[in-house]
Amino acid sequence: MPGNMTFDALKKAVKAGEIDTVLVAGVDMQGRLMGKRFHAQFFVDSGHAETHCCDYLLAVDMEMTTVPGYKSSSWERGYGDYVMRPDMATLRPLPWLPGTALVLCDLLDHHHHEVPQSPRAILKRQIARAEAMGFKAMMATELEFYLFETSYNALRDSQQAHGQIRDLKAISAYNEDYHIFQTTKEEEVMRALRNGLYAAGIPVECSKGEADAGQEEINVKYSDALDTADNHAITKTAVKDIAASKGRSVTFMAKYDHRRAGSSSHVHQSLWTLDGKPAFRDASDPHGMSATMKHFLAGQLAHAGAITALLAPYINSYKRFCIGMFAPTKAVWSRDNRTAGFRVCGEGTSAIRVECRIGGADLNPYLAMAGLLAAGLDGIEQKMELEPELRGDMYSAAGVREIPKTLREAAAMLHGSSMLRAAMGDDVIDHYHHAALWEIQEQDRVVTDFELSRLFERA
């Protein structure tokens, strides 16, 4: 569901002294919330109409470097403003931050048109395309992360003192997948997270221990695609806020340690008719899959390589794709099979859906969902035929479609995709291709601890 606070309710809460701060936030290229903290009275008086931000927010990297080479935002263009227009349907209190509410914004240009490169606008365009075809896109994400005993501040001090992060101690000593006793020890953070999100209007289903020491998963009920992406972005912020308030740290890196399982963000997807019927279900089909579902899945398989850069946006993302740690290496489909890149779940019921297992916890949910939707809708438009199901261990399957092994490979496929260019526009694809090239360039030039320890004496 969307935000759970009306504007009138906010006005009453401000007048009663219950809310004194409103976070006004847009979503950047990395999927982070960026914006301002408004005094609540100013927001209800006039700030709710719009505010402004520097347009470099859609042209910086993870470290806020002003990256050269973007067409939409640069020193040559003067780094002007975007308009931040609050989407009041997303307004909600944030119980884990005292006296605080949050509203998400759309980013507009000076003509009050949505900025094409804005992640929220990119997803909204594909949602509108689905609706024009008679479908409502429903999605859910499973978000994984690692929880550590050490605080962010302590880790920062360690890095400044030693040149690298040291003393990174997972909150659990062993694999805690589904462990109740072990996760009981982590309830100071996880209980606050579940209750905080629920009170903020985000319908949490559950949390659980995941497949390694200190690894957690939080699951939120499925919803329409935009609401799911909004919930995902807010959830990541909440995890960090709450962990930090408890003296802990977390990471959403896809692979923080090569010896540990990676952290994923599986994306569950289905289409429904505009009058509320499951468009993926056909009770007469042996698998319970409608022709629409088969075409949709066929499109995602056909374009899996092209959309991978939207599901795995960093060099580190590709270190997650390894054998035997529940991250896929093959872009194939199978029923209820966790070794495949695309898993069909809920067979024979109205809950039948496609689970894409390629994405890591580091993905931008808006871009990932937009890419998946664009590929699936192309499959429907082209009436693509679904290839036969593969069964068994996909890790050992030979001669089948593989997930790109590097960001360099995935970025080239993104850049060359005529489907994505038609669906999202050349400017959008060129923009995010440039972002990928910058990530590659930055990591190509930096000497790593691995290189130093491996080569210092032996080379």
Side-chain angles (χ1 to χ4, degrees):
M1 62 184 181
N4 61 346
M5 175 176 266
T6 65
F7 192 33
D8 285 341
L10 175 65
K11 291 177 180 177
K12 292 177 182 177
V14 172
K15 186 175 182 180
E18 298 165 359
I19 296 289
D20 57 59
T21 301
V22 180
L23 296 183
V24 179
V27 179
D28 73 358
M29 294 169 66
Q30 291 76 26
R32 302 173 294 185
L33 300 188
M34 294 288 182
K36 306 174 182 179
R37 281 177 159 84
F38 275 70
H39 190 284
Q41 190 60 57
F42 180 84
F43 181 83
V44 299
D45 288 344
S46 61
H48 62 275
E50 67 177 51
T51 187
H52 302 86
C53 66
C54 179
D55 66 14
Y56 95 142
L57 287 180
L58 292 183
V60 294
D61 66 5
M62 192 65 79
E63 297 191 62
M64 304 299 290
T65 302
T66 48
V67 176
Y70 284 108
K71 291 194 299 183
S72 64
S73 176
S74 65
W75 293 116
E76 290 76 17
R77 295 175 64 91
Y79 284 117
D81 274 355
Y82 285 145
V83 174
M84 299 177 69
R85 183 179 64 193
D87 179 351
M88 298 302 283
T90 68
L91 183 65
R92 69 193 72 225
L94 297 185
W96 59 90
L97 295 178
T100 302
L102 165 73
V103 66
L104 298 180
C105 296
D106 292 309
L107 298 182
L108 314 178
D109 62 21
H110 289 292
H111 303 289
H112 281 73
H113 299 143
E114 285 193 317
V115 177
Q117 295 86 354
S118 164
R120 213 163 182 259
I122 292 170
L123 177 56
K124 287 166 73 174
R125 181 174 177 179
Q126 298 310 307
I127 291 170
R129 181 180 165 203
E131 290 179 349
M133 296 168 64
F135 300 116
K136 184 174 185 178
M138 304 296 288
M139 296 194 178
T141 59
E142 303 174 51
L143 186 54
E144 298 173 358
F145 58 94
Y146 278 88
L147 178 60
F148 300 98
E149 288 188 358
T150 323
S151 71
Y152 282 121
N153 287 344
L155 292 174
R156 177 202 61 204
D157 293 343
S158 171
Q159 184 175 21
Q160 290 177 345
H162 304 289
Q164 60 181 336
I165 293 178
R166 298 175 64 174
D167 306 319
L168 193 58
K169 187 176 181 182
I171 201 165
S172 173
Y174 50 79
N175 184 327
E176 58 184 280
D177 202 12
Y178 293 99
H179 278 231
I180 296 299
F181 170 62
Q182 185 60 25
T183 52
T184 296
K185 304 174 189 177
E186 300 151 13
E187 276 287 84
E188 181 185 24
V189 172
M190 299 308 295
R191 180 171 180 262
L193 176 62
R194 292 191 307 271
N195 290 336
L197 289 173
Y198 198 87
I202 297 178
V204 173
E205 291 184 347
C206 63
S207 63
K208 64 179 283 290
E210 252 303 313
D212 216 321
Q215 193 176 34
E216 317 287 344
E217 178 178 296
I218 187 79
N219 293 313
V220 173
K221 186 179 179 181
Y222 78 95
S223 186
D224 65 88
L226 184 62
D227 189 41
T228 291
D230 289 343
N231 287 344
H232 182 113
I234 296 168
T235 296
K236 286 187 75 171
T237 297
V239 172
K240 292 180 179 181
D241 282 346
I242 292 170
S245 74
K246 307 294 183 183
R248 310 298 189 185
S249 59
V250 300
T251 186
F252 290 96
M253 288 179 67
K255 194 81 167 178
Y256 94 91
D257 188 321
H258 65 276
R259 298 163 296 183
R260 304 293 187 187
S263 290
S264 68
S265 179
H266 302 153
V267 182
H268 293 254
Q269 317 155 74
S270 63
L271 296 180
W272 291 66
T273 63
L274 298 182
D275 59 356
K277 297 177 183 176
F280 274 9
R281 185 184 183 191
D282 182 351
S284 65
D285 182 78
H287 299 328
M289 299 167 64
S290 68
T292 296
M293 181 178 183
K294 292 176 182 178
H295 295 324
F296 185 88
L297 179 53
Q300 294 194 338
L301 293 168
H303 300 297
I307 64 175
T308 295
L310 303 177
L311 293 160
Y314 308 108
I315 287 179
N316 177 264
S317 308
Y318 295 79
K319 297 179 180 180
R320 175 176 152 264
F321 301 132
C322 58
I323 295 172
M325 287 192 174
F326 288 96
T329 59
K330 306 295 188 343
V332 297
W333 81 277
S334 188
R335 289 177 295 163
D336 199 18
N337 185 335
R338 285 181 168 85
T339 68
F342 294 86
R343 172 180 174 234
V344 171
C345 312
E347 184 180 353
T349 71
S350 60
I352 192 167
R353 61 198 185 277
V354 177
E355 176 194 22
C356 176
R357 298 178 59 81
I358 297 173
D362 55 351
L363 59 71
N364 181 323
Y366 302 88
L367 302 181
M369 293 179 194
L372 287 166
L373 258 181
L377 295 177
D378 186 65
I380 294 173
E381 289 175 337
Q382 305 300 326
K383 291 186 166 47
M384 292 185 185
E385 184 176 351
L386 181 61
E387 61 197 47
E389 174 195 10
L390 290 183
R391 300 178 183 178
D393 180 5
M394 297 301 109
Y395 293 127
S396 62
V400 300
R401 185 188 305 102
E402 296 192 353
I403 294 167
K405 292 181 172 59
T406 65
L407 179 58
R408 200 180 304 271
E409 179 185 352
M413 298 180 79
L414 172 75
H415 186 262
S417 173
S418 58
M419 180 279 294
L420 285 176
R421 289 184 176 277
M424 298 181 180
D426 288 334
D427 285 346
V428 169
I429 298 305
D430 289 344
H431 190 89
Y432 285 93
H433 177 250
H434 185 71
L437 293 186
W438 176 260
E439 288 293 319
I440 294 166
Q441 176 183 319
E442 283 296 278
Q443 294 213 27
D444 279 351
R445 74 175 181 84
V446 173
V447 177
T448 65
D449 294 334
F450 173 77
E451 293 169 289
L452 193 62
S453 64
R454 186 180 181 88
L455 301 175
F456 182 83
E457 179 179 341
R458 298 177 182 87

